[in-house]
Amino acid sequence: MALLDIIVIGGGFSAASFTLHLLDLAAQQGVQPGTFRLRLIEPRLTLGAGIAYSARDPNHRINVAATRMNWSGDGSDDFDRWTRETGAVAEDPAMVWQDGSLYPARAVFGHYMHTRLMELTASSPQIAFEHVRQRAEAVAAFEDRYRVRLADGSSLEADLVVLATGHPPPNLPRGLEVLAGSDRFIADPWRPGAVADVQADDRVLLVGTGLTMGDMVASLRTQGCGGQMMALSRRGLIPRPRASTVEAFGDCDFSHFARVSQSLKAMRSEIRKARGESRPWSDVLERIRQQNMDIWAAWPQAERRRFLRHLKPYWDVHRFQAAPQIDSLVKAVCNSRHLTIEAGSIVGARPHAKSIEVDIKPRGLPAERAKTHVFERVVNCTGASGAHITRDDPIFASLAEQRLVRSDSLRIGLDLDSRSHPVSCEGKSVTGLFVIGPAARGCLGEVTGAPELALQARRVAEWVLEAGTLKNGDQVRQKQLS
Ligand SMILES: Cc1cc2nc3c(=O)[nH]c(=O)nc-3n(C[C@H](O)[C@H](O)[C@H](O)COP(=O)(O)OP(=O)(O)OC[C@H]3O[C@@H](n4cnc5c(N)ncnc54)[C@H](O)[C@@H]3O)c2cc1C
């Protein structure tokens, strides 16, 4: 029997990266065979894919070059090499950009994650691994263990539970609440085939102008939609194109700044230095990315709030750059006047049988100057929201009922301690639970891209291994005493 029983709920990138790190660390540290049993609960067949890397549309590409993504976050080109070796390039030559970098379809990355996980679990004597293909419905604490109820009514028990349920579904954008339930409103663009029913001459409103907007434009154009498209966000900012080479540059240790404005000033100064050396601004952002958890940790809550309110939209379009294939396509569709990017807000909407009327107020104008536009489809491209995570995610809702989790004070995820344990409503760390992935962002800052998620996954794997080693030591001591 295993000494430590672990359940991981969710089987997206975060869960797979955590499991791979645990396997890797257990092997490196010579952990005794059979120390862990790890059951990963995920209804999808492909592990490591989750929402992002299950995308079926081949136009939905990773937004950084393949050399910069892998399961471990160690900067190696494992995924790039794997992609070239498997022959995926021949199947989709468009993944090769002009500079030779690969931007494969996101599903290819999902396949890579699954392959690496299967390889390592098959060869690990330390961890007995099982994929439970179900949805978990609730987690209950009992004595010093946890019971996880599954959709088929059965339950599993564990010493530790790692919660990796990923992105909550996107919220309804303000002003569009009346569209809930309308079959002309596409609330979740990440659902497979979400825009498949859009007709060739439908006029489409894309609410949100970030990376998801680019994906939707690619899907709609590929399926032959030639109707007029409008992409709308409050500022009308779109992601910058991915720079072909990136080399971290600058002295960006901003973790001693307690104010956002100090970090901003220092960043601008580093960008000026970069320009002086004929380097792009993206090299400075790359350096900041490597330190963003420390920078976030240094800001008091009021400054974090200030960043979210005023700077995040600008940060996001520079930080989350578009794959060059998507960037070129969006620009081409704009140039052909089939797509306009607008800055403004929605002040009203009325669903009808065959269309949706939307009142849009251009940025900077009063509400009376709003104009009514008519679309056949409205697509929500505003992205995930963590505002109601303890209500919308059934696992966190069940834990909130037991007062074992609470929202962070920014209401973008869960309140966690420095070891990624949730903090209970009484303010105590719940040490049998770990939270990894986007739900940690209120406490850790930007845990969005694969490298940052992998870093958090590795840290949690180290703490879980520590817990297993301690328990192992206890049992050996108990045997010696008896
Ligand atoms: C559309 C999109 C594209 C992205 N592209 C990139 C990119 O190109 N490069 C990059 O670095 N980052 C990218 N990201 C960011 C990042 O890599 C992903 O967000 C990351 O995959 C998050 O992984 P996750 O495992 O935390 O969550 P998710 O991917 O959301 O996975 C969570 C998993 O948990 C499962 N689950 C949820 N609830 C339960 C339950 N109750 N029981 C059982 N299973 C459950 C779900 O089925 C899902 O498979 C992208 C994100 C999105 C949304």
Side-chain angles (χ1 to χ4, degrees):
M1 205 184 86
L3 291 177
L4 195 80
D5 244 313
I6 305 164
I7 285 180
V8 180
I9 304 182
F13 176 83
S14 300
S17 178
F18 161 78
T19 307
L20 282 157
H21 276 301
L22 190 66
L23 292 160
D24 187 42
L25 289 166
Q28 275 177 34
Q29 296 182 16
V31 168
Q32 285 181 10
T35 299
F36 296 100
R37 173 162 69 159
L38 190 152
R39 285 170 293 179
L40 195 153
I41 305 174
E42 164 64 59
R44 294 172 209 261
L45 177 63
T46 307
L47 293 177
I51 290 179
Y53 310 112
S54 291
R56 285 196 207 138
D57 188 331
N59 294 295
H60 294 182
R61 299 185 181 279
I62 58 168
N63 54 37
V64 291
T67 44
R68 301 186 56 216
M69 280 183 70
N70 64 26
W71 68 264
S72 68
D74 68 356
S76 80
D77 62 354
D78 188 45
F79 173 51
D80 183 87
R81 269 188 291 116
W82 181 89
T83 306
R84 292 177 195 272
E85 281 162 18
T86 53
V89 179
E91 281 170 30
D92 174 22
M95 77 164 71
V96 187
W97 189 240
Q98 291 147 4
D99 61 2
S101 311
L102 303 186
Y103 291 85
R106 289 205 295 270
V108 176
F109 188 70
H111 187 196
Y112 154 83
M113 288 296 295
H114 184 83
T115 307
R116 286 288 181 256
L117 189 62
M118 291 303 111
E119 286 165 358
L120 227 62
T121 49
S123 63
S124 167
Q126 287 93 2
I127 300 180
F129 175 83
E130 188 189 342
H131 175 189
V132 180
R133 274 198 75 188
Q134 287 218 41
R135 183 154 281 278
E137 291 196 328
V139 177
F142 75 102
E143 294 162 5
D144 60 346
R145 302 192 88 214
Y146 294 89
R147 185 172 291 134
V148 179
R149 197 181 73 231
L150 303 178
D152 69 357
S154 64
S155 56
L156 302 173
E157 290 175 11
D159 301 298
L160 295 180
V161 180
V162 178
L163 304 159
T165 54
H167 295 282
N171 267 351
L172 270 178
R174 199 181 302 161
L176 291 185
E177 295 84 353
V178 287
L179 299 187
S182 161
D183 57 3
R184 301 205 153 262
F185 176 56
I186 297 161
D188 180 0
W190 298 330
R191 189 173 44 81
V195 294
D197 288 344
V198 178
Q199 303 299 304
D201 52 359
D202 278 356
R203 289 161 294 179
V204 180
L205 173 64
L206 303 160
V207 185
T209 56
L211 292 171
T212 301
M213 177 276 290
D215 283 349
M216 292 304 112
V217 170
S219 294
L220 290 167
R221 293 301 283 186
T222 310
Q223 73 190 44
C225 294
Q228 189 63 35
M229 290 184 265
M230 178 195 285
L232 174 77
S233 65
R234 277 196 295 162
R235 294 173 180 80
L237 301 169
I238 62 166
R240 301 299 183 256
R242 178 68 59 191
S244 60
T245 54
V246 183
E247 199 187 333
F249 172 85
D251 174 10
C252 301
D253 177 10
F254 302 158
S255 57
H256 51 287
F257 294 142
R259 302 186 65 136
V260 172
S261 56
Q262 293 171 302
S263 301
L264 191 61
K265 197 170 158 205
M267 180 184 81
R268 287 190 173 130
S269 155
E270 292 306 312
I271 289 176
R272 274 194 297 277
K273 282 188 212 157
R275 265 200 213 116
E277 295 190 20
S278 306
R279 286 166 174 274
W281 53 263
S282 45
D283 284 2
V284 176
L285 254 73
E286 175 62 12
R287 173 76 80 224
I288 295 175
R289 184 191 68 72
Q290 293 168 354
Q291 305 181 9
N292 67 36
M293 288 192 200
D294 297 333
I295 296 171
W296 185 259
W299 289 342
Q301 289 299 77
E303 288 297 302
R304 292 176 178 180
R305 209 166 273 127
R306 200 187 303 277
F307 170 81
L308 293 174
R309 193 174 319 130
H310 301 294
L311 272 184
K312 191 170 183 299
Y314 298 96
W315 171 255
D316 281 356
V317 292
H318 290 89
R319 160 77 182 90
F320 301 108
Q321 299 155 23
Q325 291 90 337
I326 296 286
D327 177 66
S328 311
L329 177 82
V330 168
K331 285 183 178 144
V333 183
C334 282
N335 288 340
S336 70
R337 300 191 189 284
H338 280 102
L339 171 66
T340 56
I341 312 278
E342 306 289 347
S345 44
I346 293 169
V347 292
R350 290 164 298 283
H352 302 293
K354 294 199 167 151
S355 64
I356 295 177
E357 282 181 314
V358 185
D359 304 326
I360 297 173
K361 175 186 92 62
R363 185 172 173 80
L365 293 184
E368 311 82 80
R369 303 278 297 275
K371 278 202 179 125
T372 301
H373 299 255
V374 181
F375 303 95
E376 276 70 40
R377 303 285 176 157
V378 176
V379 187
N380 182 8
C381 303
T382 54
S385 152
H388 304 292
I389 194 165
T390 54
R391 182 195 71 189
D392 295 347
D393 182 306
I395 299 301
F396 294 130
S398 70
L399 290 164
E401 247 172 56
Q402 299 159 77
R403 301 180 62 78
L404 292 174
V405 298
R406 64 184 183 190
S407 291
D408 63 69
S409 62
L410 299 168
R411 297 190 65 78
I412 55 174
L414 287 181
D415 193 5
L416 305 181
D417 72 7
S418 59
R419 285 200 154 204
S420 296
H421 297 304
V423 175
S424 73
C425 298
E426 280 67 44
K428 295 208 172 91
S429 295
V430 183
T431 54
L433 301 177
F434 290 93
V435 176
I436 55 175
R441 60 188 167 177
C443 294
L444 294 183
E446 197 178 87
V447 271
T448 308
E452 292 77 38
L453 292 166
L455 178 66
Q456 194 211 4
R458 182 175 181 89
R459 287 181 183 159
V460 172
E462 283 166 0
W463 296 323
V464 166
L465 196 63
E466 210 175 273
T469 317
L470 286 178
K471 194 164 180 207
N472 191 355
D474 278 353
Q475 300 219 349
V476 171
R477 269 192 298 281
Q478 273 166 19
K479 271 191 202 143
Q480 284 167 349
L481 288 173
S482 59

